[in-house]
Amino acid sequence: SSTRSRRMTAVVQAVAQRAGTIDVQRNENFGKLRAGYLFPEIARRRKAHQEKNPDAKIISLGIGDTTEPLPKYIADAMAKAAAGLATREGYSGYGAEQGQGALREAVASTFYGHAGRAADEIFISDGSKCDIARIQMMFGSKPTVAVQDPSYPVYVDTSVMMGMTGDHNGTGFDGIEYMVCNPDNHFFPDLSKAKRTDIIFFCSPNNPTGAAATRAQLTELVNFARKNGSILVYDAAYALYISNPDCPKTIYEIPGADEVAIETCSFSKYAGFTGVRLGWTVVPKALKYANGEPVHADWNRVMTTCFNGASNIVQAGGLACLQPEGLKEMNAMIKFYKENAQILKTTFTEMGFSVYGGDDAPYIWVGFPGKPSWDVFAEILERCNIVTTPGSGFGPAGEGFVRASAFGSRENILEAVRRFKEAYGKRN
Ligand code: MLT
């Protein structure tokens, strides 16, 4: 009957409606985040520009992504490990979640031999960014957080996701202590004015400003953390780009840092591993929570629970990086990108811009005072077909600057310089 079929229809509709209605609330912290993560947002704008200008040969000095082929010695080690997987003798399944013993040893002796870190304090991973997110799991939602302003956006965004912050107030997130770093303070925060927080994220050489902190400054930072009983999460991803002998390449060169600091680092910008993926985090045994429990034990728990170890093929590549031949090739690669940085820095300086960074880091920080940095980004893209990164994407104090990455082929860097000169050369 028609009554029966009407009833059937109503039931079908109700089920259909129900199927589309999830009864789970969104993690409200995700609602606090602004737009997309910085680099995908830049990629979106680049794509839109390309669609509007199909013939444009866009050069990216945006995301710090390596461009040069892997050193052969390092690639060969990975190829050999991959081929070995096809043999009974060479096959391996799960490895230690903390990384292969030989690689932990090699990282400890190569980078921390002079700074007292042992192999069992090194945890190998798929990269610094992922480690920063996992480090946040240890802290939970209660701690307060400080960052350099400007800084790598992952510190703030993961703090927001964890629920450590309030809402965005139009300038920054409530509850985050933004420690301003600008030309006036030589890009090192005035710690006498900084509020005490539980966690301090600090990156040296800094992404995006390119400023490397000196031994005296890092001593001040470690003492500040010790005085306040704060944990320092020290991002050293660009440390090998440091030329200034006055700037330590690891926080553990500073006395007392082992009791307050976790350090993250990566092969990405050293060996062109941005796509290969390999990094590490150092958690000293001497670092303890307020109740005396070692942070090391919790980090081990996080890594064994949430991570299954870095790829065995990639770890073979990492080990090759740290052999004499690999180290030589890795250093040559860093030297190449540093030359790019000098070419960019010289160009902007000659055109009369205020330019920072570039000497101890693969990033150049260029001042466009009084102009919103997203507008400068758009203008450079429009006039030069060059992608940069707007300074404000790194924090409120990044407004008025853009970052140019020195990762690129020499040909592209020289072409970028030509276009910049053509568009902005007549400034003065
Ligand atoms: C950057 O451009 O800041 C870096 O590529 C980001 C990263 O290393 O994740």
Side-chain angles (χ1 to χ4, degrees), residues 9-226:
T9 313
V11 168
V12 168
Q13 276 172 352
V15 168
Q17 249 171 25
R18 185 82 207 103
T21 317
I22 298 294
D23 237 348
V24 179
Q25 299 303 317
R26 184 186 191 199
N27 175 345
E28 60 183 11
N29 298 311
F30 280 70
K32 299 175 190 168
L33 292 165
R34 309 217 91 193
Y37 179 60
L38 178 62
F39 294 107
E41 175 60 22
I42 289 169
R44 194 185 65 72
R45 294 186 191 217
R46 174 196 170 137
K47 188 161 168 270
H49 179 74
Q50 187 77 77
E51 276 162 13
K52 229 175 70 198
N53 306 277
D55 296 331
K57 292 205 165 38
I58 298 177
I59 294 176
S60 176
L61 306 182
I63 186 165
D65 192 5
T66 47
T67 54
E68 299 312 285
L70 287 185
K72 183 158 168 23
Y73 178 79
I74 297 165
D76 282 351
M78 287 192 277
K80 193 165 159 231
L85 288 175
T87 67
R88 189 150 296 281
E89 312 73 54
Y91 179 76
S92 64
Y94 289 127
E97 292 91 343
Q98 303 84 352
Q100 293 170 358
L103 183 54
R104 299 175 83 190
E105 293 278 353
V107 168
S109 61
T110 307
F111 299 109
Y112 304 101
H114 65 300
R117 301 280 57 81
D120 62 356
E121 296 177 316
I122 313 290
F123 293 77
I124 306 297
S125 76
D126 53 348
S128 247
K129 182 181 181 181
C130 326
D131 277 351
I132 289 160
R134 284 185 289 251
I135 285 169
Q136 297 279 35
M137 295 181 70
M138 284 197 296
F139 301 143
S141 62
K142 293 205 182 82
T144 49
V145 171
V147 294
Q148 287 153 294
D149 179 17
S151 67
Y152 183 40
V154 176
Y155 317 138
V156 167
D157 283 10
T158 55
S159 299
V160 173
M161 288 173 175
M162 286 301 293
M164 293 167 162
T165 75
D167 287 326
H168 200 278
N169 56 33
T171 310
F173 285 95
D174 286 335
I176 295 235
E177 176 66 6
Y178 290 90
M179 305 189 295
V180 170
C181 298
N182 59 23
D184 294 342
N185 59 22
H186 306 286
F187 298 100
F188 186 80
D190 182 350
L191 296 177
S192 71
K193 297 217 181 86
K195 263 212 243 86
R196 185 216 169 264
T197 58
D198 298 313
I199 313 296
I200 304 166
F201 284 99
F202 200 93
C203 179
S204 179
N206 179 267
N207 175 10
T209 66
T214 63
R215 188 173 308 276
Q217 289 171 331
L218 291 180
T219 302
E220 196 187 324
L221 177 68
V222 166
N223 290 342
F224 178 73
R226 291 179 68 89

Side-chain angles (χ1 to χ4, degrees), residues 258-288:
D258 58 331
E259 290 175 351
V260 290
I262 294 172
E263 179 168 302
T264 69
C265 204
S266 166
F267 285 97
S268 285
K269 316 293 161 87
Y270 292 180
F273 272 28
T274 49
V276 174
R277 309 303 313 147
L278 194 68
W280 68 89
T281 286
V282 189
V283 185
K285 295 236 174 88
L287 176 61
K288 309 269 173 59

